[in-house]
Amino acid sequence: MILIDGKKIALELREELKRKIVELKSKYNAIPGLTVILVGEDPPSKIYVKNKEKFAKEVGINSEVIRYPANLEEKVLLDKIKELNNNEKVSGILVQLPLPKHIDKRKVIETIDYKKDVDGFHPTNVGNLSSGYDSSIPCTPLGCSLLLKKVEKNLSGKHAVVIGRSNLNGKPMTQMLLKENCTVTITHSKTEDLKTECLRADIIIAAVGIPELVKGDWVKKGAVVIDVGINKTEKGVVGDVAFEEVSKVAGALTPVPGGVGPMTIACLLKNTVDCFKKLRK
Ligand code: NAP
C-alpha cells in the first residue's frame, strides 16, 4: 500500500511556487499578492488565517490580512472588496468563512472579482469548472486531485466514487474527475447503499465529516482512497476513512493528519500565483 504523503507533496509544491515567484518577479518586476479578510473571532478561522499568512510569506507572496470585528457592517466589507478588486498589487482575495450571520455570504463571494477568486467559489469560476473551461478551483479538491495524480497518472476510464456533495469539496471534485475522463458516482446522505457504491470504485474521495465512515470491507482491493475528513474525536483527529482497516486493502491511501490537509493551503498559494499570471496576460 502506498501511503500518500501530503506533507511532503505540499512542501514540494511550495518549493516549486517559490521558484516560480522568483521568475515572475524578474519578468514583471512584481510579485503575487494575497489579501485575506477575517471577520470576527472564530478560533479555527483565526488559526487557518495565521497559517495562510505564514505559508504565503514563506513562498514569497506579498501577504496581507485584514481583520474586522464580528459586528462589521456588510457594506464596509463589500466596499473593501471592491477596493481590493481595483488594486493591481492584489492578485488574490480570500474572505475567510464562516462569516457572521448578518453578512450575506453569497453577496460577498459574488463581489470578489472572479479573476482574483483564489477560493474558486465565485459563480463564474464554478460555471467555468463545470463547463470544463479554465477556472480557479477550490483549494481542497485541487489538492486531492494533485495527490491522486501522484499515484494514478492516467485517470481516464477509472470509476470514482465521491462521498459528499458540498460546494466546497464534493461537487468541484466531481467536476475535476469528469474532466479527467473518470466515470463518477457522487453520493450523499440520501444514498441508499453507500457500501455497494464504494465497492465498485477504483478511486474513493471521502468528504463527509463522519469519523471513520468508510470501512475496510467497503473498499475494492487496490483502490486509491483520498480522505478529506477532519474529525475531532476522543482518540484525536481522524478522517472519514477507517485508516487501519482500509490500509490493508487499498492500493494507496492518504493519512489524516498529513494527507489532504497540508495540500489545501499549498493550493491556495498555487491559485494566487495562477491568478497573478492570468491577470497579467
Ligand atoms: P459538508 O458541507 O458538511 O458536506 C458533507 C457531505 O457529506 C454532504 O453532501 C452530506 O450529504 C454528505 N453526507 C453526510 N452524511 C452522509 C452519509 N452518511 N453518507 C454519505 N454522505 C453523507 O462538509 P464539507 O465541508 O464538504 O467537509 C467534509 C469533511 O471534510 C469535514 O470533515 C471537513 O472538516 C473536512 N474538510 C477538510 C478540509 C481539508 O483541508 N482537509 C477542507 C475542508 C473540509 P447531504 O448533501 O445529503 O447533506
Side-chain angles (χ1 to χ4, degrees):
M1 201 268 312
I2 301 169
L3 186 66
I4 307 173
D5 187 345
K7 242 178 158 175
K8 179 167 166 268
I9 298 166
L11 176 67
E12 286 166 3
L13 177 55
R14 293 200 305 273
E15 290 300 323
E16 188 191 317
L17 291 171
K18 222 188 251 181
R19 288 192 292 274
K20 241 183 219 168
I21 290 167
V22 172
E23 281 170 29
L24 292 171
K25 194 174 174 184
S26 67
K27 186 168 176 190
Y28 295 107
N29 197 24
I31 54 171
L34 172 66
T35 299
V36 176
I37 301 179
L38 175 65
V39 186
E41 299 288 329
D42 176 53
S45 294
K46 281 165 90 174
I47 297 171
Y48 296 146
V49 167
K50 209 173 133 195
N51 285 333
K52 285 169 186 173
E53 187 181 25
K54 176 181 157 229
F55 284 117
K57 280 191 176 147
E58 200 185 284
V59 298
I61 287 174
N62 192 7
S63 164
E64 176 195 27
V65 178
I66 300 173
R67 292 180 172 84
Y68 287 121
N71 63 358
L72 177 76
E73 235 184 277
E74 184 183 272
K75 186 176 179 314
V76 176
L77 177 58
L78 299 180
D79 287 347
K80 175 51 84 178
I81 293 172
K82 286 175 198 160
E83 184 193 312
L84 295 169
N85 285 343
N86 292 319
N87 181 344
E88 66 170 24
K89 287 193 173 150
V90 175
S91 8
I93 303 167
L94 183 152
V95 179
Q96 184 66 42
L97 301 177
L99 284 165
K101 288 207 167 42
H102 68 280
I103 296 179
D104 182 346
K105 178 177 99 175
R106 183 170 169 186
K107 227 191 249 177
V108 169
I109 290 172
E110 289 181 5
T111 301
I112 297 172
D113 180 347
Y114 79 93
K115 296 190 208 84
K116 297 189 177 188
D117 167 35
V118 282
D119 254 341
F121 296 159
H122 190 286
T124 301
N125 283 319
V126 175
N128 281 341
L129 177 63
S130 66
S131 300
Y133 302 146
D134 183 46
S135 70
S136 272
I137 298 169
C139 305
T140 302
L142 178 58
C144 291
S145 86
L146 295 178
L147 293 180
L148 197 50
K149 281 188 186 162
K150 290 280 175 189
V151 289
E152 269 307 345
K153 295 279 174 276
N154 185 8
L155 296 174
S156 182
K158 301 279 180 203
H159 186 183
V161 169
V162 179
I163 316 177
R165 57 174 163 181
S166 69
N167 291 335
L168 180 66
N169 289 309
K171 283 183 196 154
M173 192 69 234
T174 299
Q175 297 298 350
M176 293 182 78
L177 291 164
L178 279 175
K179 211 171 168 182
E180 295 289 341
N181 296 319
C182 285
T183 301
V184 190
T185 302
I186 179 159
T187 64
H188 45 78
S189 66
K190 308 291 184 291
T191 297
E192 288 203 346
D193 188 353
L194 189 57
K195 177 179 172 181
T196 302
E197 298 297 345
C198 286
L199 274 168
R200 288 210 294 257
D202 304 308
I203 296 159
I204 296 175
I205 313 281
V208 193
I210 299 180
E212 302 180 327
L213 174 75
V214 178
K215 307 286 185 266
D217 63 354
W218 290 28
V219 177
K220 185 164 82 177
K221 192 148 185 53
V224 179
V225 182
I226 307 286
D227 189 352
V228 182
I230 301 177
N231 307 294
K232 283 191 186 132
T233 68
E234 279 174 5
K235 61 175 187 182
V237 175
V238 302
D240 292 340
V241 174
F243 184 87
E244 287 305 320
E245 289 178 24
V246 172
S247 63
K248 294 191 176 87
V249 276
L253 173 62
T254 59
V256 176
V260 175
M263 291 301 287
T264 297
I265 292 187
C267 286
L268 168 67
L269 309 178
K270 175 175 163 36
N271 280 349
T272 306
V273 171
D274 289 346
C275 284
F276 174 91
K277 290 197 282 189
K278 281 184 225 161
L279 284 162
R280 263 152 192 82
K281 258 189 192 162

